[in-house]
Amino acid sequence: MYETEIDALSALEPAASLIAQITERRRPGEYRFKADFPAEYKQWVRTANILRKSKDRDFRDFGQYMRKYSDVISELDELPKDSRRFRRKMAEFGRTVDHGLKVHARLSERVEV
Protein backbone atom coordinates (compact mmCIF):
# COMPACT_ATOMS: atom_id res chain seq x y z
CA MET A 1 0.00 0.00 0.00
CA TYR A 2 1.83 3.15 1.20
CA GLU A 3 5.09 1.78 2.56
CA THR A 4 6.76 5.14 3.26
CA GLU A 5 3.83 6.40 5.30
CA ILE A 6 3.40 3.14 7.22
CA ASP A 7 7.14 3.02 8.01
CA ALA A 8 6.98 6.63 9.23
CA LEU A 9 4.05 5.82 11.50
CA SER A 10 5.84 2.75 12.87
CA ALA A 11 8.93 4.82 13.70
CA LEU A 12 6.72 7.37 15.45
CA GLU A 13 5.53 5.06 18.22
CA PRO A 14 8.01 6.18 20.97
CA ALA A 15 7.33 9.88 20.29
CA ALA A 16 3.57 9.32 20.13
CA SER A 17 3.62 7.43 23.42
CA LEU A 18 5.64 10.22 25.02
CA ILE A 19 3.36 12.99 23.78
CA ALA A 20 0.33 11.07 25.06
CA GLN A 21 1.91 10.84 28.51
CA ILE A 22 2.85 14.52 28.48
CA THR A 23 -0.65 15.71 27.61
CA GLU A 24 -2.20 13.38 30.19
CA ARG A 25 0.14 14.08 33.10
CA ARG A 26 1.06 17.73 32.67
CA ARG A 27 -1.21 20.71 32.97
CA PRO A 28 -2.08 22.77 29.89
CA GLY A 29 0.60 25.38 29.31
CA GLU A 30 3.24 23.17 30.93
CA TYR A 31 3.60 20.52 28.23
CA ARG A 32 7.10 21.61 27.07
CA PHE A 33 7.26 18.82 24.46
CA LYS A 34 9.48 20.83 22.12
CA ALA A 35 11.77 22.10 24.89
CA ASP A 36 12.12 19.00 27.09
CA PHE A 37 12.18 16.32 24.39
CA PRO A 38 13.82 17.78 21.26
CA ALA A 39 14.65 14.41 19.64
CA GLU A 40 11.08 13.17 19.96
CA TYR A 41 9.75 16.51 18.77
CA LYS A 42 11.94 16.30 15.66
CA GLN A 43 10.71 12.75 14.98
CA TRP A 44 7.12 13.92 15.39
CA VAL A 45 7.60 16.81 12.95
CA ARG A 46 9.57 14.64 10.50
CA THR A 47 6.76 12.07 10.43
CA ALA A 48 4.13 14.79 10.08
CA ASN A 49 5.97 16.21 7.07
CA ILE A 50 6.26 12.78 5.43
CA LEU A 51 2.54 12.20 5.89
CA ARG A 52 1.61 15.68 4.67
CA LYS A 53 3.32 14.90 1.34
CA SER A 54 1.42 11.65 0.84
CA LYS A 55 -0.77 11.05 -2.18
CA ASP A 56 -3.44 9.60 0.10
CA ARG A 57 -5.90 12.10 1.60
CA ASP A 58 -6.17 10.37 4.99
CA PHE A 59 -2.40 10.30 5.47
CA ARG A 60 -2.17 13.96 4.43
CA ASP A 61 -4.93 14.87 6.89
CA PHE A 62 -3.22 12.94 9.67
CA GLY A 63 0.11 14.66 8.95
CA GLN A 64 -1.64 18.03 9.02
CA TYR A 65 -3.28 17.09 12.32
CA MET A 66 0.05 16.04 13.82
CA ARG A 67 1.68 19.32 12.85
CA LYS A 68 -1.25 21.37 14.17
CA TYR A 69 -1.23 19.38 17.42
CA SER A 70 2.47 20.05 18.11
CA ASP A 71 2.07 23.72 17.14
CA VAL A 72 -0.91 24.23 19.46
CA ILE A 73 0.73 22.65 22.51
CA SER A 74 3.88 24.70 21.88
CA GLU A 75 1.80 27.87 21.64
CA LEU A 76 -0.03 26.99 24.87
CA ASP A 77 3.32 26.82 26.66
CA GLU A 78 4.06 30.42 25.68
CA LEU A 79 0.74 32.03 26.66
CA PRO A 80 -0.19 33.35 30.12
CA LYS A 81 -2.60 30.86 31.69
CA ASP A 82 -5.11 33.48 32.79
CA SER A 83 -5.51 35.14 29.40
CA ARG A 84 -8.32 35.04 26.89
CA ARG A 85 -5.85 33.87 24.21
CA PHE A 86 -4.98 30.87 26.38
CA ARG A 87 -8.65 29.89 26.69
CA ARG A 88 -9.12 30.27 22.94
CA LYS A 89 -6.03 28.17 22.28
CA MET A 90 -7.38 25.50 24.65
CA ALA A 91 -10.61 25.43 22.62
CA GLU A 92 -8.52 25.08 19.46
CA PHE A 93 -6.59 22.28 21.13
CA GLY A 94 -9.86 20.43 21.80
CA ARG A 95 -10.98 20.83 18.19
CA THR A 96 -7.57 19.63 16.98
CA VAL A 97 -7.75 16.52 19.15
CA ASP A 98 -11.30 15.76 17.96
CA HIS A 99 -10.27 16.13 14.32
CA GLY A 100 -7.19 13.98 14.85
CA LEU A 101 -9.24 11.20 16.41
CA LYS A 102 -11.60 11.18 13.43
CA VAL A 103 -8.72 10.99 10.97
CA HIS A 104 -7.04 8.29 13.06
CA ALA A 105 -10.26 6.25 13.02
CA ARG A 106 -10.41 6.50 9.21
CA LEU A 107 -6.80 5.37 8.93
CA SER A 108 -7.23 2.57 11.45
CA GLU A 109 -10.03 1.09 9.36
CA ARG A 110 -7.70 0.79 6.39
CA VAL A 111 -4.23 0.18 7.81
CA GLU A 112 -2.70 -2.07 10.43
CA VAL A 113 0.55 -0.60 11.78
Side-chain angles (χ1 to χ4, degrees), residues 18-67:
L18 176 65
I19 200 167
Q21 290 176 10
I22 289 171
T23 54
E24 285 178 8
R25 296 181 182 167
R26 293 186 180 181
R27 298 175 63 87
E30 298 173 3
Y31 296 131
R32 299 184 44 84
F33 178 54
K34 184 177 181 178
D36 291 350
F37 306 98
E40 289 81 358
Y41 176 79
K42 286 179 185 176
Q43 179 64 40
W44 181 270
V45 171
R46 186 179 311 120
T47 301
N49 289 334
I50 289 170
L51 296 177
R52 288 168 64 191
K53 294 176 185 174
S54 176
K55 294 178 183 178
D56 184 272
R57 179 177 170 251
D58 289 335
F59 283 116
R60 279 195 318 266
D61 285 352
F62 197 68
Q64 188 66 27
Y65 150 74
M66 288 175 59
R67 191 57 200 250

Side-chain angles (χ1 to χ4, degrees), residues 6 29 47 53 55 64 81 93 95 104:
I6 293 171
T47 301
K53 294 176 185 174
K55 294 178 183 178
Q64 188 66 27
K81 292 178 186 67
F93 177 69
R95 290 187 302 271
H104 184 269

